[in-house]
Amino acid sequence: MKDMHGILFAYSSNVRLKELTEHRTASSIPYGGRYRVIDFMLSNMVNAGITDIGVIMRENYQSLLDHLGSGKDWDLSRKRGGLRLLPPFAYAGARRDTAVTAYRGKLEALYAITSYIEHIRQEYVVLADGDLIINLPLEEIFAKHLETGADITCVCLAREPGYESDAYLRTDARGRVKEVLLSGLDKDVYPCVGVYILSKTLLGKLLADSAAHNYVNFTRDVLQRMQGQLNITAYIHEGFSTRPQSVADYFRQSMCLLQPEVRRDLFSRKRPIRTKVRDEASTYYSPESHVKRNLVADGCIIKGDLENCVVFRGVRVEGGAKLKNCILMQDTRIQSGVDLAFTITDKEVTVTKGRALKGHESYPIAISKGSIV
Amino acid sequence: MKKECIAMLLAGGQGSRLYVLTTHVAKPAVPFGGKFRLIDFPLSNCSNSGIDTVGVLTQYQPHELNAYIGSGQPWDLDRLEGGVHILPPYQQNKGASWYKGSANAIYQNISFIENYNPEYVLVLGGDHIYKMDYAVMLEQHKRTQSDCTIPVIEVSREEAKRMGIMNVDENDGILEFEEKPAEPKSTLASMGIYIFTWEKLKKYLIADEADPKSKNDFGTNIIPSMLAGGEKMTVYRFSGYWRDVGTIDNLWEANMDMLSGEEIDLSNPAWRIYARNPTAPPHYIGDTATVSHSLVTEGCEVYGGVFNSVLFNDVTVEQGALVEYSIVMPGAVIERGAVVRYAIVAENAAIRSGAKIGAPPGMFKNSPEDWGVAVVASGVTVGPGKAVGAREMADADLV
């Protein structure tokens, strides 16, 4: 699909994600044992044949830069095109009144990269959030976009996803959007996942218009305001989708991965999710370990008991440790006799001998990166 | 583009003693240790030792190996100058010939080597499991001003009878090389790796090529003629883990060695063994699974019993299936109620429900020579209730 360009919004964060976004944006939160959240939309784009992708970031993006690197792991380290990282251009601090801590909306973020957008060599652009977890057939969605002749195609979900959407669309029988709502109180509306396809020309016009009127919010100022003037069409996706908005949310949505049907959908063999390669050896289970219902990445040494856990790369669990309903991020060290339940350990956390911590499904404990308990 | 030392990796052999495992692939492309292929070990050692130019000599069934090596990126060998090069036999104006032997393979690529104008050439095999810093060996080679340095490991007197043995003087200078001696005079076994001073090696390669009686082999011809020629040859004593995996039994045993993590540490970040990664999600250990003393990797779904085994990526072990002391290669499926013991199940093989593969050595107490590892070749289906006994090999569907 040489005619589509990808733009990912990777600047957003959410205060309710607390410890998880202390050192990173929502897009670079570790998810699913070996991924960062941004891997999903990035892989969706690559799997659809998109070769040029720009990633807009604003602050707290060191972790994201480290993860994405040259884009090599997504086959995006290219001579022409490939991955383009777009941190704030001339971050002038207090000198400019637009220099607030975060972009106020997608239109503002896009306006900040106007010169980049002018140089896009493809005719169409797909806009998406970096913190959306989904496996989308973007190639098919693009074909539909061309077929329906829509000005903007919005990807929606067939069902309520269990997280708050930016917009809810009411459509006619052919999928054409008749009404754009900002909350989903009505039953017969489709929650929009924030993935939009439109032409580069239209995007340019919308940005110029928004700048003139000081519009910043794509949902309100484009979808809602211009619904009557533009042909906006919904594409309904049936699969799994999530977007962690709080620690409890993140926990619940991670545990979904223990269901085989969710894994089959999200890690579809037809459209694999790629991530940064760490060259770990296999995971070793010792004779003293007891393991049930766990999703485990490579490079771990498991000697303790694990039940309902998501375990990232390079984790060590010593003998006699009992972990139930836990998420252990990269290089976590669990010493002997530790007893954990409903706990999320961030990267490089050590829980020392015999410590016991128990959260609850409604309030899982999150331990900050690098902490020693 | 001068390089001090470049490596030439001999990857053209058929590996006929691995039988059905190398019907369609060259030996160096055989999967090993859950995540790797045999060639990952020498390639990673090169990369970690700072050797950035590697010629890989291929001949037998090269497609999968070539695709695997690709640009060399997984081993950090995609370089602007040097990097990894696949070197198949090629046509020259005086005709074309296959590689006649290991020495002839290097001889045919003299011009490739000369492009880099190296002082030293490291000659490697593609079927050894070990971690070695070649830079340290090269340091010794330079310090002792040797013309050839051969790494050796200490073996038992019994093992020595089956290996190439170096008899040395008090300065570790090589006096004599004996292939499989009945009465070994020393217990230093050659690891089948050599560092040569290139000017010297080139001279001997040219002379060897001119000798119509030569088998053009390093062990049989080059090393003995260099000894006879009075060149300075030294052993390099290596004490880490090293295994030749040229046979089914050796391959199985070396895989089992990976389980303990004590023989060779594959998780040391300071000396990683790199591999081309499959793109698969983390593995899942289900409700009904029992996993003990085993290696499991990405893409696996385990619902049955896995004991003392190595599972490669994307292996499925269904509920009620048993896998014990076995190696299950990428994409294989072990269905409900199947039993796989002391076996190697190759890529994408399917073991249908109730099938039985292999048997424990304990069942052969009275005739231990009848026991051996069972093998199911890649893509082969063993139908419901069918059996592949100990030491047997299934290279076609059994339905």
Side-chain angles (χ1 to χ4, degrees), chain A residues 164-308:
Chain A
E164 213 176 299
S165 281
D166 291 347
Y168 295 81
L169 309 181
R170 195 190 310 279
T171 68
D172 67 12
R174 286 174 305 144
R176 177 134 184 202
V177 174
K178 290 292 158 207
E179 198 179 357
V180 179
L181 304 166
L182 298 182
S183 91
L185 292 175
D186 296 342
K187 280 266 175 289
D188 58 340
V189 293
Y190 293 111
C192 177
V193 294
V195 176
Y196 308 107
I197 296 179
L198 69 172
S199 72
K200 180 191 156 185
T201 325
L202 176 61
L203 181 64
K205 272 191 215 146
L206 293 174
L207 289 179
D209 184 56
S210 304
H213 293 92
N214 193 25
Y215 294 155
V216 294
N217 188 311
F218 190 84
T219 331
R220 195 185 59 211
D221 299 324
V222 174
L223 295 185
Q224 205 171 36
R225 199 187 294 269
M226 305 185 80
Q227 181 264 320
Q229 301 149 51
L230 295 173
N231 175 354
I232 302 176
T233 303
Y235 173 93
I236 313 296
H237 179 67
E238 293 281 346
F240 175 83
S241 159
T242 178
R243 187 176 195 171
Q245 290 173 322
S246 69
V247 174
D249 213 23
Y250 171 80
F251 180 82
R252 212 168 31 246
Q253 301 295 355
S254 294
M255 288 300 160
C256 283
L257 292 172
L258 299 179
Q259 303 164 20
E261 57 282 6
V262 171
R263 287 200 303 279
R264 267 197 297 275
D265 177 71
L266 204 52
F267 304 126
S268 149
R269 290 297 147 101
K270 276 191 295 187
R271 298 187 302 269
I273 305 301
R274 292 162 211 282
T275 187
K276 186 173 165 185
V277 169
R278 228 178 81 129
D279 292 297
E280 292 277 7
S282 300
T283 282
Y284 172 72
Y285 293 93
S286 85
E288 53 186 319
S289 70
H290 293 97
V291 286
K292 293 258 177 282
R293 289 184 305 277
N294 303 292
L295 189 70
V296 186
D298 275 356
C300 302
I301 297 177
I302 310 291
K303 295 180 177 170
D305 298 356
L306 294 178
E307 199 179 322
N308 287 341

Side-chain angles (χ1 to χ4, degrees), chain B residues 88-97 99 104 107-111:
Chain B
Y90 59 96
Q91 204 169 32
Q92 304 176 52
N93 63 8
K94 58 182 189 292
S97 86
Y99 293 148
N104 175 256
Y107 172 83
Q108 290 201 36
N109 287 287
I110 285 178
S111 64

Side-chain angles (χ1 to χ4, degrees), chain A residues 327-339:
Chain A
I327 298 171
L328 310 174
M329 290 188 192
Q330 199 168 297
D331 298 325
T332 291
R333 296 285 178 271
I334 304 289
Q335 297 186 356
S336 59
V338 164
D339 190 356

Side-chain angles (χ1 to χ4, degrees), chain A residues 315-331:
Chain A
V315 167
R316 302 276 184 276
V317 179
E318 289 183 16
K322 288 197 184 341
L323 290 85
K324 242 179 149 172
N325 301 304
C326 290
I327 298 171
L328 310 174
M329 290 188 192
Q330 199 168 297
D331 298 325

Side-chain angles (χ1 to χ4, degrees), chain B residues 63-80:
Chain B
H63 291 152
E64 196 168 323
L65 184 62
N66 292 356
Y68 186 71
I69 294 170
S71 67
Q73 184 254 316
W75 306 270
D76 213 8
L77 290 171
D78 52 334
R79 300 299 174 100
L80 287 179

Side-chain angles (χ1 to χ4, degrees), chain B residues 42-52 122 131-138 271:
Chain B
L43 284 181
S44 301
N45 284 337
C46 282
S47 180
N48 289 328
S49 303
I51 292 174
D52 64 6
L122 172 65
K131 287 164 88 166
M132 185 197 267
D133 191 343
Y134 302 136
V136 176
M137 175 164 65
L138 181 62
W271 201 275

